Amino acid sequence: MPLRYADIYPSEPLLNSDAMVRPSAAALMSVRYFQAEPNRMPEEVFEEHHVLLNLQTKAHRVQNWRDGVLRDFTFCKDEVVVTPAGTRSGWRWHEKSDVIVITLDPAKVKQFAQTELGMLLAPQQFQDLPQFSDLDLCAAGVILRDALETDDLSSAVMFEAMSRVFLVKLLQKYGKRRAEDVELSSRFTSRHYQRVLTYVQKRLDQTITVDQLAAEAGMSPSHFARAFKETLGSTPMQYVLAYRIEQAMKMMEDAECPLGNIALACGFADQAHFTRSFKQVVGQTPRAFRSALSA
């Protein structure tokens, strides 16, 4: 049974983002900051991706077991090690550590990439990234860490903003997209997906049909519907509904915005239609969801 990275780390983090009440982007990740004396972590399999950002200015020896293969290396400042979910990994460090560990939920990262970046990620992520140097990514991690030190509204806003920055940087530079030349029966590629997503975004307040989406992708409606479901796991109309609901949830964070206006802006016929659809997808009414946001 895969573990969470936090379950076995041998010391308590100095800072931990799990204590924050976090908006959507930040909910994809947990950020922990450690300064730990020389120690080791046993080999375990984790259900999350974990990204280790090294802040230690002194280069030092680190051993990392990765699916039974030992890597014995010198760890330098601003170097990053990414261990994908499902990998058996263990560690030993020979000097005091100064690291930020960011753990990512694979399913949520996949969804974020699709809805926010228009990226279709390949099933296996970060397999070929045992170690690399990235000053920019480490700087974003430091800002995330610093946002944890102050428990107020401004730090929560900063944490959310930098969570998005970190995810976008990580995925755009190192996320493995579906290969465009993979012979899917559908031939539904990232380029097709980006065109469909852009179409939905621009016409969110309008009626959207399978025929319209198929035309945008340059496919027949029947081929498109089959290809879309094979690739994304939902029908085109299920996807459009979920996207409308997701955007409505974001708009409801503004307590002054009337639900009727949100319903129309997100393409629902009226507030009653919005309420029925929202409850079907989320399990509660928009009014109850909004009340929970402000509780």
Side-chain angles (χ1 to χ4, degrees):
M1 175 68 69
L3 299 173
R4 295 172 63 250
Y5 190 79
D7 292 338
I8 68 166
Y9 205 86
S11 64
E12 290 298 313
L14 303 180
L15 296 169
N16 186 348
S17 69
D18 285 354
M20 299 182 71
V21 177
R22 299 170 300 179
S24 58
L28 277 69
M29 65 169 63
S30 289
V31 179
R32 296 176 176 87
Y33 175 53
F34 296 95
Q35 290 182 336
E37 297 299 328
N39 207 330
R40 66 180 300 152
M41 290 175 62
E43 292 182 65
E44 298 287 356
V45 178
F46 300 98
E47 63 187 19
E48 311 145 316
H49 305 310
H50 55 274
V51 183
L52 187 71
L53 310 175
N54 183 33
L55 308 184
Q56 177 61 268
T57 56
K58 177 184 177 182
H60 57 288
R61 182 187 178 196
V62 171
Q63 293 170 292
N64 173 217
W65 289 263
R66 191 180 177 100
D67 281 340
V69 177
L70 172 63
R71 298 175 55 251
D72 194 325
F73 60 94
T74 300
F75 208 14
C76 299
K77 187 177 186 299
D78 296 322
E79 286 191 327
V80 182
V81 174
V82 181
T83 306
T87 300
R88 179 170 292 278
S89 177
W91 293 87
R92 182 180 180 185
W93 54 101
H94 296 261
E95 301 283 345
K96 184 176 181 178
S97 71
D98 188 2
V99 297
I100 297 169
V101 179
I102 298 179
T103 55
L104 303 170
D105 182 304
K108 292 180 179 178
V109 168
K110 177 182 176 182
Q111 182 66 21
F112 179 89
Q114 287 182 9
T115 59
E116 301 296 322
L117 304 179
M119 293 175 60
L120 292 179
L121 296 179
Q124 297 299 318
Q125 287 299 307
F126 311 124
Q127 293 290 340
D128 303 321
L129 294 172
Q131 184 179 355
F132 57 93
S133 179
D134 194 314
L135 178 62
D136 201 26
L137 203 62
C138 287
V142 168
I143 297 175
L144 280 170
R145 178 202 65 183
D146 292 347
L148 297 177
E149 293 186 308
T150 306
D151 185 18
D152 57 24
L153 181 60
S154 63
S155 64
V157 172
M158 176 62 75
F159 191 89
E160 164 67 7
M162 288 312 300
S163 294
R164 297 182 68 86
V165 169
F166 184 89
L167 286 166
V168 170
K169 287 179 181 293
L170 180 69
L171 292 172
Q172 287 186 337
K173 293 181 72 173
Y174 305 109
K176 186 176 181 181
R177 298 172 184 260
R178 287 182 184 269
E180 297 291 343
D181 58 351
V182 171
E183 189 59 43
L184 300 171
S185 61
S186 57
R187 294 295 299 165
F188 190 84
T189 66
S190 294
R191 189 172 296 109
H192 290 125
Y193 178 76
Q194 182 65 66
R195 289 170 62 181
V196 168
L197 175 61
T198 300
Y199 186 91
V200 172
Q201 290 172 332
K202 289 181 176 179
R203 295 163 178 79
L204 189 64
D205 62 339
Q206 304 171 28
T207 298
I208 297 173
T209 68
V210 173
D211 287 1
Q212 291 169 332
L213 296 178
E216 190 65 21
M219 299 178 179
S220 70
S222 60
H223 184 192
F224 170 76
R226 182 176 66 253
F228 192 96
K229 186 169 185 180
E230 286 178 356
T231 305
L232 295 178
S234 64
T235 69
M237 290 300 94
Q238 287 171 337
Y239 173 84
V240 171
L241 176 60
Y243 190 83
R244 293 189 195 279
I245 296 296
E246 182 181 355
Q247 299 311 304
M249 292 168 74
K250 292 179 181 179
M251 293 177 67
M252 278 191 282
E253 293 176 5
D254 178 1
E256 301 301 318
C257 188
L259 292 177
N261 291 1
I262 294 175
L264 296 178
C266 294
F268 297 96
D270 50 37
Q271 189 171 334
H273 178 210
F274 173 46
T275 298
R276 289 195 304 272
S277 299
F278 192 94
K279 188 171 183 180
Q280 174 187 346
V281 174
V282 180
Q284 60 184 159
T285 66
R287 196 172 303 279
F289 177 82
R290 173 174 268 177
S291 295
L293 286 177
S294 59

